[in-house]
Amino acid sequence: MLSQLYSAAVDGLNATIVQIEINVSRGVKFIIVGLPDNAVKESQERIKAALNNTNYRVPTNQTVINMAPANIHKEGSGYDLPMAIGMLACNEMVAQDMLHDYILLGELGLDGSLRPITGALPIAIKARKEHFKGIILPMENAREAAVVDTLKVYGARNIVEVIDFLNGKEVLDQTIVDTRKEFYEHQQLFSADFLDVKGQENVKRALEVAAAGGHNIIMIGSPGCGKSMMAKRLPSILPPLSLHESLETTQIHSVAGMLPPDTSLIAQRPFRSPHHTISNVGLCGGGTTFKPGEISLAHNGVLFLDELPEFNRTVIETLRQPLEDRHITISRAKYNIQLPCSIMLVAAMNPCPCGYYNDPNHHCDCTPSQIKRYMNKISGPFLDRIDIHCEIQAVPFAELSKMQPGEPSSAIRERVIKARQIQEERFKNIKGVHCNAQMTEKMLHIYAEPDEASMDMLRMAMERLKLSARAYNRIMKVARTIADLANSEKVQIQHIAEAIGYRNLDRDDWAERGV
């Protein structure tokens, strides 16, 4: 007897509908065809144990399972549920009336329980696009899939609930999520606040400019001066995610299997801080079984690289193209996938191996050659792609001991949001551009053209600091953001001067260090 039902395979951020055909005939073999991986092949034992332990009869005849289209690799354990239901349908233990209306997903435990799968959100989006009535999946994934409206989502705890639902004996509760309500309720929840930061007004200003325009920033300073502390508070001053950005970010985390249980949408901008031992694949994505890397998991948020020179140089260099293009293409023998990675890169580092070069309160024991080797771990082309360079000095005890708190994140965030609103209005007719950091060279001539006095200052800065054409563009983007924060329609000389200051980290020191 033949049964047909539907599941789905995830390819990058997209899903493909998989038709599962099961035929039971005379014989004793159990065969799965359609490019299954080992996890799919091992489903036979999980299915048999699950059905036996829930008092359902397992077909003892020859069972052939075909997963179409046959040219797509089928990976993971999410096909357990549809294959088990299909086998029971062949034995007429499950009615086939509704099998064509629903996508089925779920890993089976040996006791028949359903365990969560990855990629539920892109699969739900595909199910709606293909006009399926609904989707049946583990309870832990139900809220994630229920983000997709006009699609009926049913979460089940075990296979028995699914069988009874398909046979009309029991009605599963439809999972309904008020997406907008939950999304806006969780946007203001931050565990860290700039209120705790005392002093460092120049650094907070640089971070405010970076947040307002989506610019990359590097902070250089001695240990304990507050680099990591301030970086971790950056999400609290970033503008809130839009629903579109949230859906895009949630898809990536769904595919990676990194959504917390019972989560519908990611409401806050991601903050990813990988350890410096991370590999190329860990940062960019890929692997034998594809997974998004840290640079994609930080999409629409912040990628924080602490102790930057300690990262493998080849790992850092892989960021050069994604920082420019804001997407990354992973090409392997088995797949070719393009992922978005529109991120704010925030890096922090010490000025030398001991960490105290140019620190007025500590003696530096490093030789000039050691300092040069340490700083040369960061290449010039990579530094050129970072818009704002910021040196940090330790806060004096007299200022640190003051009880007066700093400016709260909420006040800084208000200014950032106003600047972003100006940018959204400016770029409303340009697809894919939402902030100043995303401007092209052509757009700079339209929206950030300097006046004659500003151009003279820029020319002098370019010659003195030996800046590249890319650095010129970065200065203009930052200047445009500073003007937006000041609610100025034109980029003026004071905005250019501040932007140049973010590229001038005491150049005599930098030259001595070999940068």
Side-chain angles (χ1 to χ4, degrees):
M1 187 172 178
L2 178 69
S3 68
Q4 295 177 326
L5 64 166
Y6 296 90
S7 190
V10 177
D11 179 26
L13 298 184
N14 301 312
T16 302
I17 300 300
V18 174
Q19 184 181 41
I20 298 179
E21 301 172 307
I22 301 175
N23 185 67
V24 176
S25 58
R26 295 179 63 183
V28 293
K29 291 184 178 180
F30 186 97
I31 305 167
I32 302 178
V33 296
L35 287 183
D37 72 350
N38 286 333
V40 178
K41 292 176 183 177
E42 290 170 353
S43 63
Q44 176 186 0
E45 303 305 324
R46 291 193 296 271
I47 291 170
K48 283 183 178 179
L51 294 181
N52 283 329
N53 289 326
T54 51
N55 300 318
Y56 285 92
R57 184 165 55 86
V58 181
T60 55
N61 296 336
Q62 177 169 290
T63 303
V64 178
I65 301 177
N66 179 43
M67 309 177 81
N71 63 328
I72 294 177
H73 285 271
K74 318 303 186 305
E75 300 173 344
S77 54
Y79 301 103
D80 289 2
L81 177 63
M83 286 194 288
I85 294 295
M87 289 166 65
L88 292 176
C90 286
N91 277 7
E92 299 184 347
M93 301 181 74
V94 171
Q96 298 197 31
D97 303 349
M98 295 193 293
L99 291 185
H100 289 198
D101 295 334
Y102 292 92
I103 297 286
L104 274 69
L105 298 159
E107 177 186 335
L108 282 174
L110 299 187
D111 60 351
S113 60
L114 290 181
R115 293 172 178 164
I117 48 93
T118 60
L121 180 55
I123 291 171
I125 293 171
K126 184 67 174 179
R128 180 179 65 179
K129 187 177 180 181
E130 296 293 331
H131 305 294
F132 280 89
K133 186 177 180 180
I135 181 171
I136 302 172
L137 73 175
M139 186 65 72
E140 290 88 345
N141 298 114
R143 291 179 63 78
E144 175 187 343
V147 169
V148 181
D149 56 3
T150 71
L151 182 75
K152 293 184 178 180
V153 177
Y154 297 102
R157 293 178 179 83
N158 54 62
I159 191 172
V160 176
E161 292 183 355
V162 179
I163 294 169
D164 289 345
F165 174 75
L166 294 173
N167 287 333
K169 295 180 181 178
E170 183 179 329
V171 178
L172 289 174
D173 293 329
Q174 182 181 346
T175 303
I176 299 173
V177 172
D178 188 337
T179 306
R180 291 182 179 274
K181 180 182 176 182
E182 291 204 5
F183 176 68
Y184 292 118
E185 276 181 354
H186 292 87
Q187 279 195 329
Q188 307 297 328
L189 303 176
F190 297 105
S191 58
D193 196 295
F194 271 97
L195 192 72
D196 307 321
V197 180
K198 298 178 182 179
Q200 304 291 15
E201 298 304 323
N202 61 321
V203 186
K204 287 193 280 188
R205 169 63 179 178
L207 288 169
E208 180 181 338
V209 172
H215 303 291
N216 303 323
I217 181 171
I218 183 170
M219 296 179 286
I220 303 178
S222 57
C225 64
K227 304 184 295 295
S228 302
M229 178 188 185
M230 287 184 280
K232 290 173 183 176
R233 282 156 174 73
L234 184 59
S236 67
I237 65 171
L238 288 173
L241 283 169
S242 66
L243 269 172
H244 174 74
E245 287 176 325
S246 177
L247 186 64
E248 204 173 39
T249 305
T250 306
Q251 271 188 268
I252 297 172
H253 285 250
S254 173
V255 169
M258 299 185 69
L259 275 182
D262 299 323
T263 297
S264 54
L265 278 176
I266 291 177
Q268 295 181 3
R269 293 190 180 272
F271 181 87
R272 305 293 301 179
S273 180
H275 192 259
H276 60 256
T277 54
I278 192 170
S279 65
N280 288 359
V281 172
L283 188 66
C284 297
T288 306
T289 301
F290 171 77
K291 273 199 171 185
E294 290 290 338
I295 191 171
S296 294
L297 292 170
H299 179 57
N300 291 322
V302 175
L303 178 65
F304 177 46
L305 302 183
D306 201 2
E307 306 297 345
L308 185 64
E310 302 303 326
F311 284 78
N312 189 309
R313 179 160 179 160
T314 59
V315 173
I316 297 175
E317 295 304 306
T318 59
L319 289 173
R320 282 160 58 172
Q321 183 187 356
L323 287 177
E324 288 288 316
D325 300 340
R326 296 188 177 271
H327 65 259
I328 186 166
T329 302
I330 311 295
S331 298
R332 300 292 183 267
K334 293 183 179 179
Y335 54 81
N336 188 291
I337 294 170
Q338 187 177 94
L339 293 176
C341 57
S342 182
I343 63 168
M344 263 188 70
L345 176 67
V346 179
M349 61 182 288
N350 297 328
C352 67
C354 79
Y356 294 110
Y357 182 86
N358 213 27
D359 189 312
N361 302 316
H362 294 84
H363 174 69
C364 175
D365 296 321
C366 303
T367 65
S369 60
Q370 287 176 321
I371 296 172
K372 184 175 181 179
R373 279 197 303 271
Y374 185 77
M375 298 303 294
N376 277 343
K377 291 181 180 181
I378 315 300
S379 71
F382 178 79
L383 276 176
D384 220 21
R385 287 166 167 79
I386 299 180
D387 306 359
I388 297 175
H389 303 164
C390 185
E391 269 192 314
I392 305 179
Q393 296 290 335
V395 180
F397 176 78
E399 191 170 347
L400 191 63
S401 60
K402 289 179 182 177
M403 296 303 294
Q404 185 178 356
E407 186 178 22
S409 292
S410 56
I412 303 173
R413 196 184 198 204
E414 282 183 19
R415 297 194 294 267
V416 169
I417 290 173
K418 287 179 182 177
R420 283 289 183 105
Q421 288 171 345
I422 293 171
Q423 294 164 51
E424 288 284 353
E425 179 64 24
R426 178 184 298 133
F427 306 128
K428 63 182 179 181
N429 297 322
I430 304 173
K431 186 178 179 181
V433 179
H434 305 285
C435 61
N436 290 332
Q438 298 170 340
M439 282 195 292
T440 63
E441 188 174 352
K442 183 179 179 180
M443 294 164 66
L444 283 174
H445 293 297
I446 300 172
Y447 301 114
E449 190 67 28
D451 57 26
E452 189 174 341
S454 300
M455 186 60 76
D456 289 339
M457 177 183 284
L458 265 172
R459 188 180 298 110
M460 184 171 63
M462 293 286 291
E463 291 171 357
R464 271 189 65 192
L465 304 176
K466 298 181 175 60
L467 299 176
S468 66
R470 180 185 285 115
Y472 168 80
N473 290 340
R474 302 276 173 173
I475 288 172
M476 293 311 304
K477 291 177 183 180
V478 173
R480 179 66 267 176
T481 300
I482 295 168
D484 290 338
L485 283 168
N487 200 23
S488 173
E489 186 177 344
K490 297 288 185 180
V491 176
Q492 300 174 6
I493 191 167
Q494 65 268 29
H495 307 140
I496 295 287
E498 185 177 351
I500 292 172
Y502 292 135
R503 304 293 298 196
N504 182 16
L505 285 171
D506 192 356
R507 284 290 165 169
D508 291 337
D509 280 348
W510 282 80
E512 182 181 339
R513 300 170 194 169
V515 179

